[in-house]
Amino acid sequence: MSVVVIETDDLERWIRETVAASVQTATIQDLPPFLRREEFMNLLGIGESKTAELFNRPDFPVIRDFGHPRVVTHLLMQWAEKQVGWINEKASENFKNRRRNATL
């Protein structure tokens, strides 16, 4: 019989990375290619006014060719990643530290 020894920190890191990858993959795969307004609001947990604000931004991935606005899901994920990149470039070190500590 073999025995495997794993450091606690390594095991915790591996579990965190595996769960994060699983949640991200499952979430993206489970979403429809186009989100209706209500689906989008539920996904982000936001209300009508914030949704209207986002839908009216020129850089937001909303399409209106289907009679009602729809958010293109894969473009939404790309848009969100760009927003995080912009925040990381422009934010102060104090803000970055608070954000880092909030996610730990």
Side-chain angles (χ1 to χ4, degrees):
M1 174 159 81
S2 299
V3 175
V4 177
V5 178
I6 300 174
E7 294 290 326
T8 306
D9 291 341
D10 291 335
L11 179 61
E12 288 175 0
R13 182 179 43 78
W14 179 77
I15 290 170
R16 266 194 314 274
E17 290 171 359
T18 303
V19 168
S22 297
V23 168
Q24 182 181 20
T25 302
T27 303
I28 293 170
Q29 289 177 350
D30 290 342
L31 292 174
F34 299 96
L35 295 169
R36 293 181 323 226
R37 183 181 196 90
E38 297 79 23
E39 292 171 326
F40 173 75
M41 289 171 37
N42 288 335
L43 178 66
L44 268 62
I46 60 176
E48 286 285 342
S49 58
K50 182 51 80 175
T51 299
E53 181 183 324
L54 288 170
F55 277 28
N56 288 316
R57 285 182 59 153
D59 65 332
F60 193 75
V62 65
I63 188 167
R64 292 178 167 81
D65 296 342
F66 301 121
H68 296 283
R70 301 279 195 259
V71 177
V72 183
T73 304
H74 79 278
L75 294 178
L76 172 63
M77 298 305 170
Q78 292 173 4
W79 180 85
E81 288 175 13
K82 286 180 187 174
Q83 301 311 305
V84 170
W86 184 88
I87 290 170
N88 288 337
E89 288 175 15
K90 307 292 183 194
S92 68
E93 285 303 314
N94 184 31
F95 177 82
K96 290 178 188 177
N97 288 334
R98 285 186 297 154
R99 192 165 140 222
R100 226 179 313 201
N101 292 333
T103 59
L104 296 178

